[in-house]
Amino acid sequence: MLIQAILAQRFTLAVASLGVENAPIPLSKSTRPEFGEYQFNGAMALAKQLKKKPRDIAEDILQAVELSDIADKCEIAGPGFINIHLSKKWVSQQVQSASADERLNIKLAPARRVVVDYSSPNLAKEMHVGHLRSTIIGDAVVKVLEFLGHTVIRQNHMGDWGTQFGMLLAHLSDQLDQTQASAALSDLEDFYRAAKVRFDNEEGFADRAREYVVRLQSSDPDCLRLWEQFIDISITHSEEVYKQLQVSLSRNDVMGESAYNPDLPVLVEDLMTRGIAVVDQGATVVFLPEMADKEGNPAVYIIQKSGGGFLYATTDLAAVRYRCEQLKADRTLIFTDARQALHFKQTELVSRKAGYMPEAHSYQHCPFGMMLGKDGKPFKTRTGGTIKLADLLAEAKERAGKLVATRNPGSPASKDPKIALTIGIGAVKYADLSKNRTTDYIFDWDTMLSFEGNTAPYLQYAFTRIRSIFRKADVDMASQQSEVNVENASEHSLAVKLLQFEDTLLAVGNEATPHLLCTYLYELASLFMKFYEASPMLKADVDEMTKQSRLTLSALTARTLKSGLEMLGIETLEHM
Ligand code: ARG
């Protein structure tokens, strides 16, 4: 149910009837139940435009707006706000109809082809916590977009090329005298460190590493074979992490930097002949006067170094071209840390100048902040090393296991490793997803594993609570449907929140902000807990109609929680 859209449409008509076209229609959710559920805040701006008193304008709009079917009270408040109280009858009907629909009445949006570029680790190293954010935020957005009916093309833009591979391949080649590639590369972090030590200290090794770079770039078959082995094993390591994280990326989604190699010289040539790129001090660059510094010097976007080498930027231009022309995408989302914001702004500008990206294509870099330790510094191991994802997830499982055991000693749940895993992984993912991605966030085991507050265990627990109501009532939740009669305040608040699911998903899809879904689910679960206190279902003195109506509200809540958590890549449980 798109409540915001319905209200916007009604108010647009009302405002137009005052003789104002295309006025903004600002609508927001009310902050307190006394003010109803929604508020129209447009009267103040219109008053200025029409030179009238805001309250008079609000009065005129109130006369004109047609809301009798959905609201049972609208009133003017403060300087000229219009508070809208949704009617219990309408809300009841909507909830009833949502509960009878498999998709909870959420319509399929007009489908777009969306490229989502996420995870994208650098294969020279093992994936570490820095890639956790890109992977899970990206995957949540993918799932929301797919649920809304869009065609999503996952692109794992892995860093599988570059001068670093010279050092790694030289080292690998030496190791192969004694062992197999898979054994040599069993720990990529150690492998990288060992190669780096040799590069920095061993006589002649750096020269060999450079030789390998040249051989790799000139497609020397032996060298390519070695590189392929390295990449293959690296991707396998990433796949293990995706599996543990229950992230929907597969090998088919890998479109690494190397895939664009053949296109890079062609692309530079194209930009040169069309005068978009020029040679400056030996390098090939695009000047961007649109992004000049304070002194008026244009930004310089380098696409080929003076020695002939291509860069990260060149590859990203090629990726734009591929995604627009071959994949026919009309929207791109890229999830990386915030430090790359400038790079993507410039990439977009160059792509548009070159005509690689049509006007209508929306190119959204979705930056995220850093994951910090409790001390507010970048998240590291006690000895200062980067934390491996695999170790982090093992710890999550262990901590969750202990938690369940202390809450419910001796219960079957406390001995079930699957439950510990689901809670542990859910907690780690949710802690990340629930924060506005643009800010840094503090990784703290105790808060993320708490059963109180905006956490995964709280939501998982709310779900199990509803499941246990249905077990007690001996009713099948999945097929629970009945007439819904919203009567008391706790039912009303819960029902309205249930109807806001679609608006929430739409916002998450537009802004690539899963935290909005987390906040929504947390509010929903909290309202359910209040409803559960205030609106008994299984007591003897509750009449059958009321019982059925409340069970339907509960079932819809559970289905909404489950569906929302699924999109966040978090499982629900029957018991905890
Ligand atoms: N490999 C890069 C990194 O780890 C992220 C790549 C993001 N995608 C892109 N098209 N540049 O920072």
Side-chain angles (χ1 to χ4, degrees):
M1 172 63 11
L2 293 170
I3 307 183
Q4 297 259 34
I6 298 176
L7 292 173
Q9 195 185 25
R10 306 289 177 89
F11 276 96
T12 305
L13 289 175
V15 170
S17 77
L18 303 187
V20 187
E21 298 289 336
N22 299 325
I25 303 294
L27 279 160
S28 57
K29 279 187 234 158
S30 301
T31 47
R32 297 232 294 268
E34 313 79 281
F35 301 151
E37 288 74 40
Y38 286 90
Q39 196 169 61
F40 173 74
N41 317 322
M44 285 68 82
L46 284 166
K48 242 185 223 147
Q49 198 179 333
L50 298 172
K51 303 202 167 57
K52 281 176 120 180
K53 282 200 212 105
R55 279 191 81 100
D56 293 347
I57 293 283
E59 193 59 56
D60 293 345
I61 296 172
L62 202 51
Q63 288 301 321
V65 73
E66 178 48 54
L67 290 173
S68 59
D69 53 338
I70 58 177
D72 55 12
K73 193 166 89 179
C74 293
E75 74 217 337
I76 299 173
F81 301 115
I82 298 178
N83 291 339
I84 303 147
H85 298 254
L86 298 174
S87 92
K88 293 199 165 62
K89 185 162 159 241
W90 184 74
V91 168
S92 301
Q93 285 165 351
Q94 297 306 320
V95 168
Q96 189 173 323
S97 124
S99 74
D101 183 62
E102 210 176 305
R103 283 184 53 82
L104 312 171
N105 261 356
I106 293 170
K107 279 175 267 337
L108 293 171
R112 299 183 75 183
R113 282 177 76 78
V114 191
V115 159
V116 183
D117 174 334
Y118 69 112
S119 191
S120 308
N122 295 325
L123 295 189
K125 290 187 172 190
E126 187 158 341
M127 244 208 266
H128 56 79
V129 289
H131 291 108
L132 181 71
R133 302 210 75 190
S134 174
T135 306
I136 67 183
I137 301 173
D139 207 50
V141 173
V142 161
K143 286 177 181 150
V144 170
L145 291 171
E146 285 183 335
F147 185 80
L148 291 173
H150 298 290
T151 305
V152 174
I153 309 165
R154 295 162 174 76
Q155 292 282 280
N156 195 344
H157 192 90
M158 286 181 161
D160 61 356
W161 199 255
T163 46
Q164 271 181 324
F165 283 91
M167 168 182 102
L168 297 168
L169 296 183
H171 185 51
L172 180 60
S173 142
D174 295 347
Q175 303 277 301
L176 291 184
D177 298 341
Q178 299 124 39
T179 179
Q180 300 250 303
S182 56
L185 295 168
S186 64
D187 187 321
L188 287 173
E189 206 67 41
D190 286 349
F191 184 88
Y192 182 89
R193 216 172 296 126
K196 181 86 171 79
V197 168
R198 292 185 69 189
F199 187 86
D200 291 339
N201 304 307
E202 191 180 305
E203 177 85 34
F205 185 80
D207 288 332
R208 279 187 55 219
R210 274 179 219 111
E211 234 168 75
Y212 266 94
V213 176
V214 176
R215 285 176 61 195
L216 189 63
Q217 282 170 348
S218 56
S219 308
D220 169 280
D222 288 336
C223 186
L224 273 183
R225 219 166 298 130
L226 204 56
W227 171 78
E228 271 160 19
Q229 278 191 52
F230 185 99
I231 296 303
D232 183 55
I233 294 167
S234 267
I235 296 181
T236 308
H237 284 283
S238 307
E239 282 179 316
E240 278 158 23
V241 175
Y242 296 148
K243 205 167 129 210
Q244 285 191 63
L245 280 175
Q246 294 165 29
V247 158
S248 66
L249 278 168
S250 79
R251 200 168 271 247
N252 294 337
D253 306 316
V254 174
M255 184 69 190
E257 292 181 16
S258 65
Y260 298 101
N261 283 347
D263 195 35
L264 303 181
V266 185
L267 183 134
V268 171
E269 175 70 28
D270 178 55
L271 293 176
M272 282 287 284
T273 46
R274 291 161 56 215
I276 295 164
V278 293
V279 174
D280 183 61
Q281 299 170 34
T284 310
V285 309
V286 180
F287 286 113
L288 297 170
E290 299 86 343
M291 295 181 71
D293 64 13
K294 282 193 213 89
E295 278 82 50
N297 305 310
V300 184
Y301 189 82
I302 308 177
I303 55 173
Q304 189 165 21
K305 288 190 274 192
S306 55
F310 301 108
L311 303 97
Y312 187 59
T314 330
T315 309
D316 262 320
L317 287 180
V320 166
R321 197 150 80 148
Y322 170 74
R323 292 164 181 181
C324 293
E325 290 171 13
Q326 310 287 318
L327 299 179
K328 310 242 179 290
D330 42 29
R331 186 180 177 202
T332 305
L333 300 174
I334 302 173
F335 292 86
T336 79
D337 71 65
R339 288 169 298 186
Q340 298 191 35
L342 185 65
H343 162 72
F344 287 108
K345 217 183 241 167
Q346 297 184 342
T347 302
E348 177 177 5
L349 199 55
V350 175
S351 302
R352 294 211 189 268
K353 258 184 207 272
Y356 294 161
M357 193 181 335
E359 196 74 49
H361 186 103
S362 67
Y363 188 75
Q364 283 173 275
H365 174 232
C366 311
F368 50 81
M370 277 200 289
M371 186 157 149
L372 306 175
K374 252 183 159 170
D375 55 2
K377 299 206 181 100
F379 196 51
K380 292 267 162 78
T381 58
R382 234 165 285 155
T383 53
T386 47
I387 295 180
K388 284 188 201 161
L389 253 177
D391 295 345
L392 187 86
L393 297 180
E395 183 167 355
K397 183 181 162 190
E398 192 192 308
R399 283 178 181 260
K402 281 194 191 132
L403 181 73
V404 180
T406 33
R407 266 176 72 92
N408 269 329
S411 70
S414 69
K415 295 186 196 89
D416 187 341
K418 173 78 178 69
I419 292 184
L421 188 70
T422 304
I423 298 175
I425 304 262
V428 170
K429 290 175 82 167
Y430 192 87
D432 195 319
L433 292 167
S434 58
K435 314 288 185 312
N436 186 339
R437 64 170 158 73
T438 53
T439 47
D440 293 346
Y441 88 98
I442 294 184
F443 187 93
D444 178 10
W445 287 115
D446 297 330
T447 7
M448 76 178 75
L449 280 165
S450 165
F451 275 78
E452 264 135 62
N454 188 9
T455 65
Y458 177 76
L459 296 178
Q460 285 167 326
Y461 177 65
F463 180 84
T464 59
R465 185 107 175 233
I466 303 177
R467 294 296 295 140
S468 87
I469 296 169
F470 280 86
R471 275 195 300 273
K472 221 181 268 167
D474 199 17
V475 171
D476 174 34
M477 191 183 89
S479 53
Q480 172 64 32
Q481 269 174 52
S482 68
E483 192 178 316
V484 173
N485 293 300
V486 165
E487 272 153 14
N488 71 30
S490 77
E491 292 168 320
H492 190 68
S493 310
L494 178 63
V496 170
K497 187 54 76 183
L498 284 166
L499 298 181
Q500 291 170 341
F501 191 36
E502 188 168 9
D503 274 326
T504 306
L505 294 179
L506 230 55
V508 175
N510 287 337
E511 296 148 39
T513 42
H515 76 279
L516 297 177
L517 178 54
C518 297
T519 309
Y520 170 81
L521 294 174
Y522 173 58
E523 287 170 358
L524 178 67
S526 308
L527 287 171
F528 177 81
M529 297 299 190
K530 284 192 191 134
F531 156 86
Y532 182 72
E533 294 298 316
S535 310
M537 291 173 243
L538 306 181
K539 287 211 176 108
D541 58 348
V542 179
D543 67 80
E544 188 60 22
M545 281 274 276
T546 307
K547 172 181 165 182
Q548 289 304 326
S549 169
R550 289 177 180 170
L551 282 174
T552 301
L553 275 167
S554 304
L556 188 60
T557 303
R559 287 169 63 200
T560 306
L561 281 173
K562 188 175 169 70
S563 163
L565 284 170
E566 257 164 25
M567 285 183 244
L568 297 173
I570 295 172
E571 280 182 88
T572 45
L573 293 162
E574 289 298 309
H575 302 273
M576 289 173 82

